[in-house]
Amino acid sequence: MGLLTGKRVLVTGGSRGLGRAICKAVATEGARAVAFTSLHGGGVESTQDIEAAGAEARAYQVSTTDAAATAQLVALLEKEWGGIDVLVNNAGVSQTLPLALIDEADFDHVMSVNVKGVFLTSKAVLRGMMRRKSGVILNIGSLLGLRAIDAPVHYAASKAAVHGLTLAMAKEVARHNIRVLCLAPGLLEDGMGKNVPEHRLKDFLEHCALGRAGTFEEVARFAAFLVSDRSAYTTGETILMDGGL
Amino acid sequence: MNERTTQGLCGTCKRLVDVRVITRDGAVYFAKSCPEHGPEEHLVASSAEWFEDALSFEAPMEPPRGEVKPVTRGCPFDCGPCTEHKQKVFMPVIPITSACNLDCPICYTVNKNEGAHMLSRESFAAVLAHLTRHAGGDDLDIINFTGGEPTLHPELPELLRMARAAGYRRLTVSTNGLKLANEDYVEVLAAVDARIVLSLDTFDDEVDRRMLGATTLKTKLRALDLLQKHDVTTTILPAVAAGLNDKDVGPLLELVLSRPNICSLEMHTLTFTGQGGVGFSRSARITTPDLHRLVDEATGGRIAWRDFVPSPLAHSHCYSICYLLVLDGGGYVPYTRFMSRARLFELLGDSIYIEPREKVQEAMREAIDDLWADPDRAGLAPGQAEAILATLKRLLGELFPPGGAVSLDARRRVAERASKAIYIHSHMDEETFDVERIKRCNIGVPEADGSNIPTCAYNVLYREKDQRFADGEMLERMAATRPVGRRLPLVTG
């Protein structure tokens, strides 16, 4: 028996990187079905990972900032699966830019994907969760939203917003037996972590107790635990996973 | 056949007698027998289903505060209240005068005009002091001024100001409205934010004459317009009599729904006690389920009897209450279509009339979630969930605008005006008197000496012994009009 036996999971931004690792982890933990979205399509590898673990896999090309498309996808899964037990809001974007070069459009784009997308997808999924009085939402935050670190300010702001959203949403939907959590990774060795300038990476490693960047798999395994019933008494928290910074 | 027992009064001599509660053909009757005046039987509810349903709602009572009398003769003859009384007073009703400018054939109390009683400021101050002391720091919620006709008291505005100064928030004046056709007087009452409980029984002049002994409609409609003009919060209170003004229930409800300043319809089932009522034809007897049926018929089922719940503050058969959310763009929906009956019952637990307190906000928030999560739930018409949510969103915007500049009072007013209430209040007379009900009465008639008599006991047993309100001639006339030998045969269970 895995941690998530029989669960129906939706992961946004699940075609690659941390999202793909989360899809694989939840399937490995026994999820019955895993659907994931990606902005640009693809996700063959994720599908293979999920199916290899014995779960039903579904891939959808949907922007999380498109409220209608997101609602349509959720309605489809609700109808065909009978409900969604777990949502992982993983989709996000960043730009490595100093403040001086972040223009209004950049700011709006990052906030739209990283904050509005989380809100819209969560709201769509919560409707069914509230009706069933059950569910878990895991948001992917960031160390950069919690510490004074050299980081793109719009990205840091968006992740801090996700932490706040997690708190308020957790409080509001707790009455419906729904948990909302945020997992905030530190520096990871792949994905957005690849864009970290060399001197900042060096600085990070110097101050990190474990002396290394984390991996997608480590974060994904912990994510699977957080959305499982094993962590049933945890909600509203932003859990930092940064190797001891 | 289901049988309960209680105690009541002989319809003639008002002595305490045992009562068998009989269910027959779906209706409920009180059967009793006086050793002196023989058996009698009276209809108390035309629906046994409602009768039992109401009893399924239970709430804890709060014992009375202040001076409580020892039991000597037994309930209901030791009122003041006595140690057997189970509920504190939630609404003091103060008869400030015995004078009245009508002589209604249906009048269920006693009032004398000659040498009329006028409550003095000093006595009223003493009443207020007792009430405030008995409240023990609780919210000073509501006082009702009644009579006679309270607007005949020359110092009513001053008494209202005294109550306001003492800290009472909701001051209601029960009136026949004749003096409210005078705009200057309405302005005076509006200035102290008095709430008007207007007796309006019918739109039919002939029925008006038969029930009130006068044609009052035109004057009352003028008063209603003035109350609306000056934005005075108003309740419409008809005493409903079968075969007379029961046809007016629908139009009265429409009136309540059509005017923003009218917050509720409070229907009283006609009672056959007091200087008029005791001699009034018993064919006019009507019960709470009859009024449910009339509302249902008038609204095409949009308000059904299951949209009503009892008051947790009284015996379950005293009140039957329905709250309606007024929808933007027209229409309304009973609260019980978007929250459980148990939840509405709970909301009524703080005061007789719901106030927009934290508990209400919490209930509305729950309702928003439930409606949004499950808009197709049973009991709602297609699109109604969306209409309710849109209304609640608009209301939240008014209650908590971005500038945050709304005072608490203004917020309360917005919230109150967003809903309408239908109260059915079934007073008791000597024929339907139920000791179990009177023990749970939350409406008290307070006196300057600190005593406080539950209202139905007051009307049936005590007021006629108070020389400020009654005299010997009146009592003799009442005794002569009391029907005898017209009782139904006693049905054995």
Side-chain angles (χ1 to χ4, degrees):
Chain A
M1 286 283 281
L3 290 172
L4 299 169
T5 300
K7 300 290 186 188
R8 299 153 295 188
V9 183
L10 172 62
V11 181
T12 65
S15 64
R16 55 199 169 98
L18 178 59
R20 178 184 167 193
I22 290 172
C23 287
K24 183 177 179 181
V26 295
T28 303
E29 288 295 346
R32 171 160 73 80
V34 182
F36 63 89
T37 67
S38 63
L39 184 59
H40 303 294
V44 174
E45 295 85 355
S46 282
T47 300
Q48 289 170 346
D49 289 344
I50 294 164
E51 289 177 344
E56 175 192 341
R58 293 182 178 214
Y60 297 95
Q61 185 175 349
V62 170
S63 165
T64 54
T65 62
D66 183 337
T70 300
Q72 200 177 354
L73 168 61
V74 169
L76 176 77
L77 294 175
E78 286 273 344
K79 185 179 173 194
E80 296 190 356
W81 283 355
I84 297 168
D85 302 301
V86 175
L87 166 66
V88 181
N89 282 308
N90 170 72
V93 291
S94 184
Q95 293 171 301
T96 305
L97 288 174
L99 182 146
L101 296 182
I102 298 173
D103 60 25
E104 187 178 351
D106 297 324
F107 188 89
D108 287 348
H109 177 60
V110 169
M111 292 301 281
S112 179
V113 175
N114 292 4
V115 185
K116 191 170 98 172
V118 171
F119 169 73
L120 290 176
T121 312
S122 299
K123 189 177 174 194
V125 169
L126 276 169
R127 199 167 192 163
M129 287 180 170
M130 282 162 61
R131 200 164 52 240
R132 290 186 298 278
K133 305 289 179 200
S134 170
V136 185
I137 293 175
L138 178 67
N139 300 321
I140 300 301
S142 172
L143 169 71
L144 303 183
L146 291 162
R147 298 278 193 273
I149 294 176
D150 252 343
V153 295
H154 54 352
Y155 182 78
S158 73
K159 289 302 179 182
V162 168
H163 304 156
L165 179 149
T166 300
L167 283 169
M169 192 178 283
K171 176 68 178 165
E172 182 156 354
V173 301
R175 73 184 71 197
H176 301 289
N177 191 36
I178 299 167
R179 296 188 296 122
V180 184
L181 288 160
C182 182
L183 177 55
L187 186 70
L188 302 181
E189 61 186 24
D190 212 334
M192 291 179 192
K194 275 187 171 174
N195 288 332
V196 176
E198 192 64 28
H199 67 283
R200 283 198 213 144
L201 178 60
K202 185 167 175 286
D203 189 42
F204 174 85
L205 294 176
E206 269 181 21
H207 291 93
C208 175
L210 294 179
R212 65 176 176 85
T215 69
F216 289 153
E217 288 68 29
E218 286 169 327
V219 177
R221 281 198 298 271
F222 191 42
F225 167 78
L226 289 174
V227 299
S228 78
D229 293 341
R230 289 277 178 87
S231 74
Y233 193 55
T234 312
T235 194
E237 285 295 326
T238 290
I239 297 143
L240 189 56
M241 191 178 183
D242 63 357
L245 197 62
Chain B
M1 185 172 289
N2 181 23
E3 188 168 307
R4 296 174 181 271
T5 58
T6 183
Q7 287 185 302
L9 302 174
C10 168
T12 304
C13 67
K14 302 185 189 178
R15 80 176 66 186
L16 193 66
V17 293
D18 291 332
V19 173
R20 291 166 51 224
V21 183
I22 293 173
T23 302
R24 188 175 64 243
D25 298 331
V28 182
Y29 299 84
F30 276 6
K32 50 194 174 180
S33 184
C34 171
E36 186 178 347
H37 299 98
E40 56 185 300
E41 184 180 298
H42 304 284
L43 177 71
V44 292
S46 60
S47 164
E49 188 182 12
W50 167 78
F51 192 88
E52 293 298 327
D53 175 80
L55 290 174
S56 71
F57 288 84
E58 288 182 14
M61 303 261 131
E62 283 188 62
R65 312 265 180 84
E67 296 77 5
V68 179
K69 294 183 176 179
V71 175
T72 54
R73 298 178 60 201
C75 185
F77 301 113
D78 298 313
C79 285
C82 77
T83 54
E84 283 190 90
H85 203 72
K86 295 179 177 174
Q87 182 65 297
K88 73 171 189 176
V89 172
F90 279 83
M91 184 162 79
V93 173
I94 306 177
I96 59 172
T97 179
S98 67
C100 189
N101 46 7
L102 286 174
D103 186 11
C104 302
I106 63 166
C107 183
Y108 60 82
T109 184
V110 291
N111 288 297
K112 64 177 186 182
N113 273 314
E114 198 173 327
H117 161 64
M118 294 286 172
L119 186 70
S120 68
R121 289 191 202 188
E122 294 70 26
S123 294
F124 184 61
V127 169
L128 282 177
H130 286 301
L131 291 175
T132 304
R133 185 167 51 83
H134 295 169
D138 282 1
D139 187 29
L140 300 177
D141 179 20
I142 189 167
I143 289 182
N144 174 253
F145 294 77
T146 184
E149 170 50 45
T151 60
L152 297 184
H153 194 302
E155 293 186 312
L156 172 61
E158 178 54 24
L159 299 182
L160 288 164
R161 281 189 283 270
M162 288 171 68
R164 184 74 70 208
Y168 282 88
R169 283 186 293 103
R170 295 193 276 190
L171 306 177
T172 61
V173 179
S174 295
T175 173
N176 60 32
L178 300 186
K179 277 199 70 176
L180 302 185
N182 177 336
E183 185 161 9
D184 292 343
Y185 194 66
V186 171
E187 282 180 354
V188 169
L189 295 180
V192 288
D193 196 21
R195 295 164 182 237
I196 297 302
V197 182
L198 177 69
S199 289
L200 176 61
D201 304 289
T202 180
F203 296 103
D204 181 331
D205 283 340
E206 174 55 27
V207 172
D208 207 12
R209 270 191 293 273
R210 290 176 66 185
M211 294 180 72
L212 304 193
T215 47
T216 63
L217 180 60
K218 195 173 169 189
T219 309
K220 289 180 177 181
L221 293 179
R222 155 91 177 145
L224 268 176
D225 288 342
L226 290 174
L227 291 169
Q228 183 172 3
K229 179 180 175 185
H230 294 280
D231 199 26
V232 177
T233 302
T234 300
T235 289
I236 299 296
L237 190 155
V240 185
L244 289 170
N245 66 334
D246 46 358
K247 65 184 179 187
D248 290 292
V249 167
L252 286 167
L253 181 56
E254 275 180 35
L255 172 71
V256 170
L257 294 169
S258 68
R259 299 207 185 194
N261 67 310
I262 304 181
C263 63
S264 59
L265 175 66
E266 179 151 345
M267 295 185 281
H268 287 188
T269 55
L270 201 68
T271 47
F272 301 88
T273 190
Q275 64 190 47
V278 75
F280 204 78
S281 169
R282 299 307 192 262
S283 65
R285 172 79 73 193
I286 200 164
T287 64
T288 297
D290 299 315
L291 295 179
H292 290 147
R293 179 177 47 76
L294 290 168
V295 169
D296 187 312
E297 287 171 3
T299 61
R302 279 176 296 170
I303 305 173
W305 77 267
R306 284 193 172 277
D307 294 315
F308 289 78
V309 298
S311 166
L313 308 180
H315 188 280
S316 292
H317 292 146
C318 292
Y319 289 95
S320 194
I321 303 167
C322 171
Y323 268 79
L324 307 170
L325 179 70
V326 180
L327 298 175
D328 292 353
Y332 56 84
V333 63
Y335 276 25
T336 44
R337 305 294 172 103
F338 56 85
M339 66 175 65
S340 68
R341 296 176 79 208
R343 189 65 153 143
L344 175 59
F345 182 70
E346 188 189 340
L347 294 185
L348 289 159
D350 292 329
S351 55
I352 292 180
Y353 306 98
I354 290 180
E355 275 211 297
R357 300 182 198 199
E358 189 181 343
K359 206 188 281 182
V360 178
Q361 292 170 24
E362 185 63 21
M364 286 300 175
R365 188 168 149 167
E366 260 184 34
I368 288 169
D369 280 1
D370 291 345
L371 282 168
W372 178 70
D374 190 9
D376 301 325
R377 58 194 297 173
L380 288 177
Q384 208 166 31
E386 288 75 12
I388 297 167
L389 289 171
T391 300
L392 293 175
K393 184 173 182 180
R394 191 264 307 155
L395 263 176
L396 284 170
E398 281 187 40
L399 291 167
F400 307 101
V406 174
S407 72
L408 201 57
D409 280 347
R411 193 171 286 160
R412 185 176 283 133
R413 198 172 185 82
V414 168
E416 282 183 350
R417 295 289 170 94
S419 293
K420 306 274 186 182
I422 305 172
Y423 277 69
I424 299 172
H425 192 175
S426 171
H427 284 290
M428 298 185 287
D429 50 40
E430 36 272 57
E431 294 169 356
T432 57
F433 201 90
D434 180 348
V435 166
E436 286 306 310
R437 283 179 61 184
I438 202 67
K439 284 179 180 174
R440 291 168 170 77
C441 181
N442 64 51
I443 300 180
V445 181
E447 293 289 351
D449 64 1
S451 67
N452 217 319
I453 299 178
T455 185
C456 281
Y458 178 79
N459 286 337
V460 173
L461 295 168
Y462 290 87
R463 183 147 158 162
E464 65 188 28
K465 294 172 186 156
D466 186 337
Q467 295 188 354
R468 293 174 302 170
F469 295 94
D471 54 35
E473 187 188 334
M474 179 188 295
L475 297 181
E476 281 176 25
R477 194 174 75 230
M478 284 167 58
T481 59
R482 186 183 298 281
V484 290
R486 293 166 56 193
R487 300 187 190 96
L488 295 168
L490 184 64
V491 173
T492 55

